[in-house]
Amino acid sequence: MTTEILVPALIIGLLLCCGFCLYRIANGPTAADRMVAIDILGTVVVGFVAILTALTGKVYLLDVALVWALVAFVGTLALAKYLVGKRLNE
Amino acid sequence: MNEIGMTTNEIIGLALIIIGVLFDLSGCVGLVRLPDVYNRIQASTKCVVLGTTLILLGAMVSLASPQAVVKGIICILFILITSSTAAHALSHAAHRSGVSLWDKSVIDRYAEDHGHENNEEGAL
Amino acid sequence: MDEMKASSSTYELKPWVQRLVLFAVCFVFWLALVWPVSPVDGQLLPGDIAAGLFVSAFVAMVMKEMVRVNFIRFVNPRSWFWIFVYLFVFSYYVLKGGLDVAYRVLHPAMPIKPGIVKVRSVLKTETGRTMLANSITLTPGTLTIEVTEDGIFYIHWLFVNTLDEEEAAKQVLRRFEWFIGRIFE
């Protein structure tokens, strides 16, 4: 009974987080704002996967969370390097 | 089992997940509301990392199998290390590329010492 | 930087010991991630363990030059104790930081007064400074922007209480420095 209301509420809450991140990606005034939003979107998705793990009871989904965090981290570092490099080339 | 049909572990896990989602939401509200890049990095990194850590803890508690606990702990450690490193790299790159602070900022010692145009090979 | 080099040359391990430690670390990670226990009857799965041994041995053979960690530091039981204490201190500050930032963000008037301050750390080792920088980023209202070679931290502060360098260092750095100094020095 309680879970029937709570679980959709939790998922809508995280979807709202994704919506805020997408808003910042769409109209961030600078490139750095967009990168921050992309980075945070990756972490929010890890939270999503963790909620899925708790709901379904399938532990292997935590592997997905781990790999997602790793790939998001590498992507953020590459974007940060690109941001510095763009200035050097101008 | 009690009258709600959930074990104690599941109730504690659900509570942790709810708190985590609330932290995530406040972090993303900060991403939209705050005025400049550095403030946004601060708010979003701290709140979202804390929120995601709590969600993972909740998933660990509600599953309560040794496999889930080990994987969850590895995941939490990983997120704590990588997100702070990513925040550091992003803020450094933003300052290097010439994004200035908010108008009402009090002080900028880094620009005083290095300047926005400092393009020497840095530690990134 | 120089202290780091000196200490690692003093404690340089023999190559085969280094490979053995790397092999053990890889194998433990494999066991934690693969979890070679059958979900049906709880028996160990020898095939998974054998594959883990093979892969860890391969990684230890190939990656020896890439991993340069001073393993000696991690066998000291006193630093394990202080890492344990530091975990609690750190999680207290992470929780406090999240609540503080959430309050500032959700407050209608947004009570922020941001600025970048410059503080000087007393830590000497690179590992200690890295750990300090990461800790600062996750705790109330502070974000490390750069760490220079001589231990100067440039820190973005969400609510600048003081413009004085010493006072800022007292408020931002000193609460972690004591513990990290116990762990690494």
Side-chain angles (χ1 to χ4, degrees), chain B residues 33 42 46 106-107 110 113, chain C residues 105 108 114 116 146 154 156:
Chain B
R33 271 194 82 191
Q42 290 239 15
K46 276 190 259 291
V106 186
I107 189 171
Y110 190 56
D113 286 3
Chain C
V105 165
I116 295 177
E146 196 181 14
Y154 290 95
H156 184 268

Side-chain angles (χ1 to χ4, degrees), chain B residues 5 11 51-52 59 101 113 121:
Chain B
I11 293 173
T52 307
L101 270 73
D113 286 3
E121 285 300 313

Side-chain angles (χ1 to χ4, degrees), chain A residues 9-79:
Chain A
L10 291 176
I11 291 182
I12 289 172
L14 278 187
L15 280 177
L16 265 178
C17 289
C18 293
F20 286 140
C21 291
L22 288 177
Y23 169 81
R24 187 47 72 196
I25 292 175
N27 30 338
T30 65
D33 289 291
R34 297 193 169 94
M35 286 174 199
V36 174
I38 292 169
D39 183 38
I40 295 308
L41 196 56
T43 317
V44 170
V45 169
V46 172
F48 243 122
V49 178
I51 284 187
L52 272 187
T53 316
L55 289 184
T56 59
K58 304 253 190 301
V59 183
Y60 59 76
L61 285 174
L62 279 179
D63 292 347
V64 179
L66 195 65
V67 173
W68 196 288
L70 176 69
V71 172
F73 173 60
V74 174
T76 309
L77 282 194
L79 284 175

Side-chain angles (χ1 to χ4, degrees), chain C residues 8-182:
Chain C
S8 66
S9 66
T10 322
Y11 295 122
E12 190 71 56
L13 290 168
K14 290 189 174 61
W16 67 272
V17 181
Q18 242 171 351
R19 278 177 204 220
L20 205 65
V21 174
L22 187 55
F23 171 78
V25 171
C26 287
F27 190 56
V28 167
F29 256 89
W30 173 279
L31 289 184
L33 288 180
V34 173
W35 205 259
V37 178
S38 166
V40 185
D41 51 1
Q43 299 278 309
L44 283 181
L45 298 172
D48 284 10
I49 298 177
L53 285 173
F54 177 73
V55 172
S56 318
F58 183 73
V59 169
M61 246 159 51
V62 174
M63 291 290 187
K64 195 241 141 189
E65 276 79 26
M66 288 185 68
V67 183
R68 298 201 163 275
V69 182
N70 195 355
F71 290 110
I72 287 289
R73 188 186 294 133
F74 294 101
V75 293
N76 186 353
R78 216 173 32 178
S79 73
W80 277 102
F81 170 73
W82 283 110
I83 286 175
F84 186 71
V85 174
Y86 184 71
L87 269 183
F88 287 97
V89 178
F90 180 65
S91 26
Y92 166 71
Y93 278 115
V94 168
L95 206 60
K96 198 176 151 203
L99 285 172
D100 179 63
V101 172
Y103 163 74
R104 289 191 194 288
V105 165
L106 298 177
H107 194 284
M110 274 204 302
I112 58 172
K113 196 167 107 185
I116 295 177
V117 296
K118 174 178 156 188
V119 291
R120 194 177 292 274
S121 165
V122 295
L123 292 177
K124 294 286 186 293
T125 56
E126 292 274 294
T127 326
R129 282 179 191 163
T130 312
M131 195 161 164
L132 181 60
N134 276 2
S135 304
I136 284 171
T137 301
L138 286 174
T139 50
T142 48
L143 168 73
T144 316
I145 288 190
E146 196 181 14
V147 185
T148 57
E149 293 271 318
D150 42 352
I152 294 173
F153 283 60
Y154 290 95
I155 288 174
H156 184 268
W157 205 352
L158 203 53
F159 195 87
V160 179
N161 279 325
T162 168
L163 295 180
D164 180 48
E165 200 172 304
E166 272 309 306
E167 186 62 29
K170 207 174 283 173
Q171 289 189 22
V172 177
L173 291 183
R174 301 288 178 251
R175 56 191 173 197
F176 298 118
E177 258 179 355
W178 191 80
F179 290 101
I180 295 178
R182 283 292 178 287

